Amino acid sequence: MNRSIHRRARTRVAASSTGIVLTVLLAGCGGSSGTVGSGASAGTTDTKGEASAECGKVPTIAPKDPDGAVKALPADLQKVYNAYGEEVFASAWQDKKALGRPAKVGFSYLPTSNAYAAAVVKQLEASFADAKAEGLVQGKLVKRIMTDPATMTPAEQIRGYNELVDSGVDIIYITPLSGDAMVSAVDAAGKKGIVTVALSSTIRSKYAVNVAENSYLNIAEPTALVAQQLKGKGNVVVVRGFQGLSSETIAYKAVKDVLAACPDMKVIGEVNGAYVPPVAKGELLKFLSSHPQKIDTVVQLGVMGSGVYAAFESTGRDIPKVVDAGASASSLASWKKLAADGYESAGTGGNGTQQAQAWFTAGMMVMQGAGPKAGTITREPSVITKDNLSDYLPKGATPSDLGEVEDGEAWMPQEYLDKFFDNPAAAE
C-alpha cells in the first residue's frame, strides 16, 4: 500500500477524543432515553475507586486479556492497554491472506450532526478515493449513514450493516451506536469472511478490528496531572455524560480511581452534562447557585470544557482547573486567556481527520494480509499541558469559537500502526 494515503488531507477538524467520539455524535439525542438528568446528584454512582499508590499518579490495572493477545505484544505496546475498559481479543484476521483484488468497501456511520462527524466522513471518502487510485478498492463507497440523531437506534444501524453484508462488500468501516448490540451481526459477517473495522466504540468480537483511544487513560492522565498541580487537595465537581454508555462508565471509573489515592480531594457534587457544552453549562449553573464553597477543579468526561468555563465566567466566580478531555478550540482559548495570570490545567486532544486516516489505513492493512496481532489497536492519549497548548490551539481562536483544534501530535502514524501487525510490509 502506498502510505501516502495515511499522510494526506491535513484539513483541521473539530476536536474530540476517541473513546468519547460516540457520545459526541449522540449529543443531539439527549441520551438513549431522550432525557438528561439534572441537579448535583442525578444518576450518580458511588463506585469505590481502585487507588494508585500515590496521589497524582495513574493506577496500573491489568487489561482484560482472555486470549493473551496483549501479553504477546512488544512491551512498549502493552503499556498502552493499561486499564483498558473492554476485553482485548486475539484477531480472527491474524492469518488472513491478502484479498488479491481491489476490495469492495462498506461504510456504516452515525448522523453527521457535528463538525467531528462531518470530518470523519469527509476523510474516509478522501482515503477511499486515494485507495481507489492505487487499485486497492473498487467501485463506490457503499454507505449506510443514519440521518436523525433523535430517532436512531442500534436496530436501525444493524439493518443497514446487514444490507452492506448482503451487497457483497469485503470490509465494513463502522462507528457503532452500541458495540455490544453489533456483536452477533459482526460475528455472522466475519464467518462469511467480511472484515469489520470499528472506530472509537469497541465491538467485542474476534472478527472486529477496533481502532480506539484508551478511554480510561484519556481521563485518568489529565486528572492525575491536575491532582499534582493541586498538591492533592481541593474540592472537586464531576461533569458526567450519558450514563450507561460503556465509554462514560470507563471514564467515570478513571476519575474515581485517581481520586481514591487523594484523600484530601473531595467530590462535592456531580452534574450530568450529556456531552453537550450548553447542557453542561446549564446544569453547572444550577449546582453553583446552591454551592457557594470554593471549587478547585471540575473534571468533565469529554468535550464539555467550553460549557464549564462559560458557567463559571457567567457567575463571576473564580474559575477552577478544568480537566479538558476532548478539548475544543473554545475551551483552549479560555485556558489560554487565563494562562496570562498563571492559570494551569491539563486536557487531551485529537481530531477526526487524524482518527479517520488511521481507521482506514488499519482496515486496508488487514485486507492486504498484514495480520493484526490483536483485535483492538489503541494508544495513550495526547495530553495537553501549558507546555504544548499552542500546538493544539488554532490561531485566532476565541472562547466563543465553535471551530477545531490543531493536530498537536500524530494520532496513529504509520510507523505506530505497523507495530500492531505481524507483516506490515505486506501493505507497502
Side-chain angles (χ1 to χ4, degrees), residues 234-238 255 259 265-269 295-299:
N235 290 331
V236 183
V237 174
V238 180
V255 176
L259 296 183
M265 294 187 74
K266 307 295 184 183
V267 177
I268 63 171
I295 297 171
D296 298 281
T297 185
V298 174
V299 182

Side-chain angles (χ1 to χ4, degrees), residues 6 9 38 50 57 110 114 138 164 222 256 295 317 323 397 425:
H6 182 77
S38 62
E50 297 182 42
K57 300 293 184 181
L110 309 181
N114 57 52
Q138 62 173 295
L164 293 173
K256 288 289 189 177
I295 297 171
R317 291 176 60 164
V323 175

Side-chain angles (χ1 to χ4, degrees), residues 368-389:
Q368 292 174 277
K373 297 177 181 179
T376 296
I377 299 171
T378 191
R379 71 188 293 273
E380 292 183 289
S382 298
V383 178
I384 304 173
T385 67
K386 65 178 182 180
D387 295 328
N388 64 358
L389 177 60

Side-chain angles (χ1 to χ4, degrees), residues 93 96 162 165-167 169-170 185-195 207:
W93 309 115
K96 178 179 172 59
N162 287 332
V165 171
D166 292 341
S167 74
V169 299
D170 302 298
V186 171
D187 282 348
K191 291 173 183 177
K192 296 178 180 180
I194 299 169
V195 176
Y207 295 106

Side-chain angles (χ1 to χ4, degrees), residues 58-250:
V58 175
T60 298
I61 303 172
K64 302 169 186 175
D65 188 23
D67 300 329
V70 175
K71 290 181 181 178
L73 292 170
D76 64 325
L77 291 185
Q78 292 183 32
K79 67 178 183 179
V80 307
Y81 292 89
N82 179 28
Y84 195 82
E86 306 277 9
E87 296 95 338
V88 180
F89 299 114
S91 177
W93 309 115
Q94 187 166 9
D95 297 322
K96 178 179 172 59
K97 303 299 182 183
L99 186 62
R101 60 171 172 78
K104 187 174 182 180
V105 182
F107 181 30
S108 172
Y109 203 60
L110 309 181
T112 52
S113 55
N114 57 52
Y116 173 84
V120 168
V121 172
K122 181 178 180 180
Q123 181 55 47
L124 197 81
E125 291 172 340
S127 292
F128 178 86
D130 288 343
K132 187 174 182 179
E134 296 183 18
L136 299 177
V137 301
Q138 62 173 295
K140 295 182 178 180
L141 182 63
V142 186
K143 303 175 187 176
R144 292 295 185 274
I145 299 178
M146 292 183 286
T147 59
D148 189 349
T151 61
M152 64 182 179
T153 64
E156 178 189 358
Q157 187 172 40
I158 291 170
R159 283 194 297 272
Y161 176 90
N162 287 332
E163 289 174 2
L164 293 173
V165 171
D166 292 341
S167 74
V169 299
D170 302 298
I171 181 172
I172 298 174
Y173 289 92
I174 185 171
T175 289
L177 181 57
S178 168
D180 287 344
M182 291 298 308
V183 171
S184 294
V186 171
D187 282 348
K191 291 173 183 177
K192 296 178 180 180
I194 299 169
V195 176
T196 298
V197 189
L199 178 66
S200 305
S201 182
T202 299
I203 300 174
R204 291 184 285 184
S205 166
K206 66 180 181 179
Y207 295 106
V209 177
N210 302 296
V211 180
E213 192 90 78
N214 186 322
S215 298
Y216 183 97
L217 296 182
N218 187 67
I219 299 297
E221 290 195 6
T223 301
L225 284 174
V226 168
Q228 290 179 27
Q229 294 167 10
L230 291 170
K231 301 186 185 303
K233 299 179 180 180
N235 290 331
V236 183
V237 174
V238 180
V239 181
R240 299 191 62 177
F242 289 119
Q243 292 162 50
L245 290 175
S246 62
S247 57
E248 203 275 348
T249 302
I250 292 165

